[in-house]
Amino acid sequence: MDATALRVLIVDDEPLARQRLRALLQAQDAVSVVGEAGDGQTAVTLCAQLHPDLVLLDIAMPGLDGMQTAHRLAALQPAPAVVFCTAFDDHALPAFEAHALDYLVKPVRPERLAAALSKARTFLAGRSLSQAATGTPRRHLCARLRGSLRRIPVEDIHYLLADEKYVLIHHAHGEDLIEEPLKALEQEFADRFVRIHRNCLVARDRLLELRRAKDGHVQAILRDVPQPLDVSRRCLAQLRQLLHPS
C-alpha cells in the first residue's frame, strides 16, 4: 500500500452506492479505501479508530444523518476532511456550514470526484505544512495558485469571508481563495480571529470600532481595510465587549 495515498472512508447506507464509490476511487491514483460504514455512528467510531484523511459522506441515513455526523467528525483530533455525496442537490449551504470541503451529487462523475480529492489533498497539505506536532495553530494558510501552494502568514490576514465552498482571505498583499471551512478556521485560530457575521471572521488586532450605517445596520471598521464589514446582531455583544472590556 502506498504510504502517501489518500486514506478514504466511504459512508453510505446503500451497499450499491458504496460499491460504486469504491470502484470510482480504485480508478484514481494514490487513493486507499480504508473502510466503509452504513450509518453515521459507525462512521464516527471508525474514524476514531482508522484516522482516515477523507470521509465521503451521504446525507440521508438512518440514525445520525450526514450533517450530524459531519459535526461530530469535526470534533475529532485530527478531524478528517469531509466531502458529501448525496442524491439531493438542495443541501449545499448546510453542507458547507457543516465543514464540508465539497458537495457531490449522485451519480458521482469521475471528474468531479477527482476534483474533490484534489481539494482534500490541498486542504490536508495546508493544515499540516506549518502545524507543529503539538497541535498548535498554524502560522500560515495555504492557497492553491496555478497548481502550486502560496503560503499566507496568518499575522498578515485582515479578515476571512466565506463564499459557499470557499473562504476568501483578505490580507496585507491582496486576496486569495482557500478551500477550508470557516468554522474550522474559527476553532483553530480562536485567539486571533473573532466572528462578526455568520460568514466573516476578522483579526482581533485589526478591529478599530463599530459604526452604525445610515440604514441602521452596524458595521465593523478595520485598520488598513477601507471597506466596512457588516456585523450581525448576534455578534454585537461579544464585539462590544472586545472593544470596551469592563
Side-chain angles (χ1 to χ4, degrees), residues 56-126:
L56 297 181
L57 182 60
D58 190 19
I59 290 181
M61 296 187 297
L64 287 179
D65 65 20
M67 299 296 179
Q68 295 169 318
T69 302
H71 283 292
R72 295 201 182 187
L73 294 180
L76 297 178
Q77 293 295 334
V82 171
V83 169
F84 281 109
C85 300
T86 175
F88 304 97
D89 60 2
D90 57 351
H91 293 300
L93 181 57
F96 293 123
E97 291 176 345
H99 317 153
L101 283 182
D102 208 341
Y103 185 93
L104 307 180
V105 178
K106 298 176 182 176
V108 176
R109 303 193 310 274
E111 61 272 19
R112 280 292 289 120
L113 178 60
L117 296 176
S118 177
K119 289 180 182 180
R121 289 190 174 95
T122 300
F123 167 72
L124 294 165

Side-chain angles (χ1 to χ4, degrees), residues 158 171 206 208 222-227:
H158 300 156
H171 55 85
R206 299 277 172 176
L208 294 178
L222 273 59
R223 177 165 51 88
D224 299 325
V225 177
Q227 180 67 35

Side-chain angles (χ1 to χ4, degrees), residues 9 79 86 92 126 149 152 166 197 209 229 245:
L9 178 72
T86 175
L149 293 179
I152 304 164
Y166 299 101
H197 196 275
E209 64 174 302
L229 302 174

Side-chain angles (χ1 to χ4, degrees), residues 22-42:
R22 179 180 283 272
L24 289 172
L25 289 167
Q26 288 173 341
Q28 299 287 333
D29 293 330
V31 174
S32 172
V33 177
V34 297
E36 297 182 8
D39 61 86
Q41 186 56 58
T42 301

